[in-house]
Amino acid sequence: LEFVLNHNVSERRGTVFHANANKDVIRRGRKRWIAFGLVPKGHIVIDDGAATAIRNKKSLFAAGTCSVDGNFLADSAVSVVDKHGKEIARGLS
């Protein structure tokens, strides 16, 4: 960092990026990345009660899971679908 911010203006090199202190902006970026930037490695099929909970911004519990399709590890992108196969959410396993 000292190299980039050398006090002699003629010798400054590089670009400094200052951190954004607004955590809401960071969260929106992370959610966008999960929703649109990752390819789901599997599907989690959930029941109607769990689908309603997710639509109301609640957590998904194991009791609402009907089946799991695909091979994926922890922190893999997954698609959450209802019993009819309609995607209602994406997340990380």
Side-chain angles (χ1 to χ4, degrees), residues 9-30:
V9 176
S10 65
E11 292 186 32
R12 285 190 181 185
R13 297 179 187 175
T15 304
V16 176
F17 295 95
H18 297 281
N20 187 339
N22 187 345
K23 293 194 186 262
D24 288 334
V25 172
I26 294 169
R27 281 191 206 105
R28 282 194 309 262
R30 179 174 165 80

Side-chain angles (χ1 to χ4, degrees), residues 3 7 11-12 39-41 43 51-52 62 70 72-74 77 79 83 91-92:
F3 177 74
H7 293 294
E11 292 186 32
R12 285 190 181 185
V39 177
K41 302 292 184 191
H43 304 287
T52 300
F72 51 88
L73 301 172
S79 174
K83 292 190 294 186
L92 298 177

Side-chain angles (χ1 to χ4, degrees), residues 20-66:
N20 187 339
N22 187 345
K23 293 194 186 262
D24 288 334
V25 172
I26 294 169
R27 281 191 206 105
R28 282 194 309 262
R30 179 174 165 80
K31 286 181 180 182
R32 189 177 307 117
W33 169 68
I34 292 169
F36 304 112
L38 300 175
V39 177
K41 302 292 184 191
H43 304 287
I44 299 175
V45 182
I46 60 174
D47 63 22
D48 293 334
T52 300
I54 287 179
R55 287 187 183 105
N56 290 325
K57 310 239 186 259
K58 304 294 180 189
S59 298
L60 174 62
F61 293 106
T65 303
C66 296

